[in-house]
Amino acid sequence: MTWRSIVLTLLPEAFPGHLDLSLSGKARRDGLWSLDAISIREFGLGAHRTVDDSPAGGGPGMVLRADVVAAALAHARAGAPDLPAIYLSPRGQPLTQSLVRDWSAGPGLILLAGRFEGVDERVLRARGLREISIGDFVLSGGELPAMAVIDACVRLLPGVMGKTASGSEESFENGLLEYPQYTRPRNWEGLEIPGILLSGDHKRIAQWRLDQSRALTRERRPDLLPLEAGSPETLSLLKGEKLSGGEAGKP
Ligand code: SAM
């Protein structure tokens, strides 16, 4: 089944953009996912296809009109009634790997990219749009956040990352940041790959990686640690059950 993404945007020409490169680009050409970038302008009003107006109550900038956004959303939903719809917004729920996993296991997403000062609140609530933020900063529009969400979902689709990689050992998947990675050359500018990684002892390697992951998480993202305790996968995964054998002594 093809995973579908439908983006409602004032800049449809921005798509597929980056998403046409590398793994996601190939996967789209292979039919693993699809992308429809729909211009909100098509649903604009009057001869000038007006999509925005000044904020009620005054203030700077413009706001995307509820009636225009509702029409664009209705159009998207008519062709894809089973897709959840999200609005990319700095005040939304922070994007997490767990949300990404859920969405990539589903049929796809409708993504509303805002511009200007944002979107009239009434349409967000009346149409049940979930607000999602990609971080505590403000971008000029929702197109880059929409691309980030799509990229994160697409790379988890079966067949996109290749046979062995599933992303299941990556940062956030088990409540921990990923352990440090190394590759050839064995000695670079006098810096050696940690000897344990060349030992071929997969059990000890797994324990070392788990220790490293924990130390890094404690140092950089202590807020994630409560999750670790509740994750039985963490121990089994990092203790080697899903680590690929034979790769450890490579460099
Ligand atoms: N006035 C809004 C506020 O203060 O929350 C910011 C509007 S921003 C200039 C324009 C659009 O960019 C938003 O409607 C949203 O779609 C998108 N955007 C900006 N930053 C974002 C972020 N961190 N995460 C998700 N979307 C973002």
Side-chain angles (χ1 to χ4, degrees):
M1 195 185 68
T2 300
W3 191 85
R4 297 183 66 185
S5 61
I6 302 177
V7 186
L8 303 175
T9 168
L10 283 173
L11 297 176
E13 63 277 20
F15 294 86
H18 187 84
L19 295 169
D20 222 20
L21 306 175
S22 191
L23 287 183
S24 54
K26 180 175 182 308
R28 193 163 76 94
R29 288 186 287 280
D30 290 345
L32 298 180
W33 68 287
S34 69
L35 170 70
D36 292 304
I38 296 175
S39 173
I40 297 173
R41 185 74 58 192
E42 281 177 30
F43 304 89
L45 307 173
H48 297 295
R49 298 260 176 221
T50 302
V51 296
D52 57 348
D53 212 324
S54 45
M62 301 295 272
V63 176
L64 281 166
R65 291 176 57 120
D67 47 1
V68 172
V69 170
L73 193 58
H75 172 82
R77 279 182 163 159
D82 52 336
L83 301 196
I86 64 171
Y87 166 51
L88 287 313
S89 160
R91 55 177 211 180
Q93 177 185 352
L95 181 65
T96 61
Q97 191 64 11
S98 154
L99 282 172
V100 164
R101 275 238 171 246
D102 286 351
W103 290 329
S104 76
L109 277 180
I110 296 172
L111 305 103
L112 171 63
R115 279 265 147 191
F116 319 128
E117 291 309 315
V119 176
D120 187 307
E121 186 73 18
R122 291 170 295 178
V123 68
L124 301 176
R125 292 183 182 240
R127 296 296 184 267
L129 286 165
R130 187 169 184 178
E131 292 189 43
I132 299 293
S133 166
I134 64 159
D136 291 344
F137 44 84
V138 179
L139 297 166
S140 333
E143 288 75 18
L144 290 171
M147 283 185 198
V149 171
I150 294 171
D151 179 85
C153 291
V154 161
R155 66 192 290 280
L156 296 182
L157 296 175
V160 173
M161 278 195 282
K163 268 193 209 129
T164 48
S166 67
S168 60
E169 287 172 28
E170 289 180 316
S171 292
F172 310 116
E173 287 292 346
N174 295 284
L176 292 171
L177 301 179
E178 193 183 60
Y179 45 81
Q181 300 276 15
Y182 301 86
T183 187
R184 293 184 179 95
R186 189 173 172 148
N187 181 308
W188 174 76
E189 296 192 349
L191 301 171
E192 291 280 349
I193 291 176
I196 181 122
L197 296 178
L198 309 176
S199 68
D201 183 337
H202 301 305
K203 250 188 139 165
R204 284 182 58 225
I205 290 170
Q207 185 60 52
W208 181 87
R209 286 177 165 169
L210 176 59
D211 293 344
Q212 293 287 317
S213 278
R214 282 183 168 152
L216 263 178
T217 310
R218 252 193 312 276
E219 180 190 316
R220 297 185 185 175
R221 293 291 307 275
D223 56 301
L224 293 176
L225 282 173
L227 280 179
E228 184 206 2
S231 168
E233 293 91 51
T234 302
L235 290 174
S236 64
L237 178 74
L238 289 164
K239 282 206 158 136
E241 276 149 38
K242 291 194 197 163
L243 295 174
S244 56
E247 295 291 295
K250 230 169 149 190

